[in-house]
Amino acid sequence: MPDPLRAALVGAGHIARNAHLPAVHALAGAVELVAVTDADAQRAAAFAAEHRVPRAYADLSTLLDKERPDLVLVATPSATHAAITIQCLEADASVYCEKPLCASLAEHDAILAAERAGGGWCVPVFQWRSGSAARHLRDLLAAGTLGPPLLALCHTLWYRGPDYYAVPWRGRRDTEIGGATTTQGIHAIDLLLWLLPDWAEVTAGIATLDRDLETETVSMAQVRFASGALAGLVSSVLSPAERSSLRLDCRHATVQLEHLYQYDNADWTLTPAPGRPDPWAPPADEPASHTTHLARTVARLRDGSQPEDTAEDARRTVEFLTALYKSALTGAPVSRGGIGPDDPFYRSMWG
C-alpha cells in the first residue's frame, strides 16, 4: 500500500474542527494531518495542541515550504478560498476546498489554470454527491431506467439567526460572497446539477428579508434543461422549520430525498409509476458526509488517479450560480454559456 497522504489544514475554526478533523481521523492509515495554519496564529497553535497536530504555522507560505504536503484541506472564510487554492496548487499540492470554491467564474478559471500548470488536483467539497443513494440514482438516470426526467424541485429551507451573522465576515458580499444561495443552497443545487447536468437557462429572483445584510436571505429560480425538463429551486435562511429536499419526477418514477444536513439511504424514497417495477436498490449505505467524500478523494489520490469530483466539473455549478444572480439582478433569463470574460458578472456574481 502507498504511504498515507501528508495533509495540512488551513483554517482552525468550526468547519475544520467539526467536519475536516473527524474525517481525517476516520481515515487513519490513509491520510495523516501533519500541520495546521490559520490567520490567527494563536488559534492555530491552540488547535494543534488540542488535537495533537504535530506542527502549527503562522502563515501558509511557510507551511507549504517546510511541509510539502500532498493534500491541503481549506476551511477558511469563503472569499479566501480561491487565492489559497491557487497558492497550494502552485506548490504542487492537491486541494480539498470548502464551498463555495470561489467568488466568480474568473477566479474559477484561474484555479483551473493553476491546476493544469501544477502537479495537484483541486477537489471542491461537494459531499452530498458522495452518498451511496445519490450515486445509485445517478446510475439509474444514466441507464434510462427511470425514463427521462421531467420535473425537479430543490429546496434548502434553513434558519440562520443573529448569532450566525454575528461572525464579522458573514452576510457581506466581499467576504461571504453570497447568502442563502451560495452558502446554504449550494449543496442541494450542486447535487441537482450533478444528477441533471444539462441546465440551459435560469430565471431567478433574490431578496434580503428580515436581516440587515448585504447578501440575500432567500432566492427562487426556475430552471430549464436542454432536455426540456423544468426545475424549481428555493434557498432560504429564514425557515424555522428546517429541511432540505430534492424531488425528481421522471417518466417511470418519482424519487424523493428529505433530510437536513446529511443523508443516508433511509432518507430517500422511490415511487414507481403505475405498472412499473421498483428498481431502487443502492448497493451500500454510505452517508453523504465529509468522511465519505474525503475517503473517496484520498483513495483516488493515493493510487494516482483523477478524483471523482474536480474543479473542471464544478464549473457547471459556479456558472449556474453566477447566472442565477445575473438573472435576479437584471430581471432577465440567463442562458448557459452566456457569461464570458467581457461580462461584468464574469468577475463578480454581483456584476
Side-chain angles (χ1 to χ4, degrees):
M1 289 291 291
D3 292 335
L5 296 181
R6 298 178 70 258
L9 178 62
V10 184
H14 173 82
I15 195 68
R17 183 183 304 270
N18 293 289
H20 289 260
L21 189 65
V24 169
H25 286 167
L27 301 175
V31 61
E32 60 177 338
L33 188 60
V34 299
V36 60
T37 186
D38 189 272
D40 182 337
Q42 291 184 335
R43 183 162 72 167
F47 186 98
E50 180 182 355
H51 299 291
R52 299 182 180 180
V53 181
R55 289 167 293 281
Y57 291 89
D59 63 88
L60 177 59
S61 295
T62 304
L63 184 155
L64 292 171
D65 181 60
K66 297 291 186 182
E67 297 292 341
R68 299 293 178 183
D70 303 305
L71 178 65
V72 178
L73 313 175
V74 179
T76 57
S78 300
T80 66
H81 290 173
I84 290 171
T85 295
I86 291 170
Q87 184 177 355
C88 294
L89 290 170
E90 289 176 343
D92 291 332
S94 289
V95 180
Y96 188 70
C97 184
E98 275 298 327
K99 56 76 190 169
L101 178 59
C102 55
S104 67
L105 284 167
E107 286 191 351
H108 197 101
D109 289 344
I111 289 170
L112 292 176
E115 184 182 56
R116 287 191 291 268
W121 293 96
C122 174
V123 179
V125 181
F126 284 138
Q127 71 271 25
W128 284 15
R129 299 182 182 190
S130 68
S132 51
R135 298 200 310 272
H136 179 55
L137 174 56
R138 196 175 191 227
D139 289 342
L140 293 176
L141 291 168
T145 305
L146 306 182
L150 305 172
L151 173 66
L153 298 175
C154 179
H155 294 169
T156 300
L157 305 176
W158 294 1
Y159 185 84
R160 297 293 183 267
D163 55 337
Y164 178 85
Y165 290 107
V167 177
W169 61 270
R170 289 179 176 151
R172 292 170 47 189
R173 295 180 183 182
D174 63 335
T175 50
E176 194 176 23
I177 299 174
T181 316
T182 55
T183 302
Q184 284 79 30
I186 189 172
H187 292 292
I189 291 169
D190 176 75
L191 178 59
L192 173 65
L193 298 180
W194 183 69
L195 295 168
L196 305 180
D198 66 330
W199 78 270
E201 183 183 83
V202 59
T203 304
I206 62 173
T208 303
L209 306 174
D210 204 43
R211 303 282 189 275
D212 184 17
L213 308 171
E214 293 179 355
T215 56
E216 82 284 0
T217 56
V218 63
S219 68
M220 303 183 72
Q222 176 181 300
V223 187
R224 182 177 58 81
F225 293 84
S227 66
L230 296 176
L233 279 60
V234 180
S235 300
S236 166
V237 292
L238 305 177
S239 306
E242 295 184 287
R243 70 182 177 94
S244 305
S245 64
L246 178 66
R247 174 180 174 133
L248 296 182
D249 289 336
C250 301
R251 179 177 295 162
H252 302 319
T254 291
V255 183
Q256 293 172 275
L257 168 64
E258 296 280 348
H259 71 122
L260 187 51
Y261 301 137
Q262 177 176 305
Y263 67 78
D264 57 25
N265 287 3
D267 297 309
W268 293 77
T269 58
L270 183 145
T271 304
R276 301 295 305 187
D278 184 349
W280 190 249
D285 192 358
E286 295 177 310
S289 67
H290 279 75
T291 298
T292 303
H293 193 245
L294 183 60
R296 298 179 70 86
T297 299
V298 165
R300 291 293 189 97
L301 293 175
R302 291 182 78 202
D303 70 16
S305 59
Q306 175 179 310
E308 293 175 331
D309 299 319
T310 65
E312 183 71 43
D313 180 65
R315 194 183 191 280
R316 174 180 58 243
T317 297
V318 175
E319 183 183 7
F320 176 83
L321 293 173
T322 305
L324 187 154
Y325 280 95
K326 181 177 180 179
S327 174
L329 294 168
T330 63
V334 177
S335 297
R336 187 173 186 175
I339 301 175
D342 294 333
D343 191 316
F345 284 89
Y346 179 77
R347 303 201 172 274
S348 169
M349 289 190 185
W350 296 93

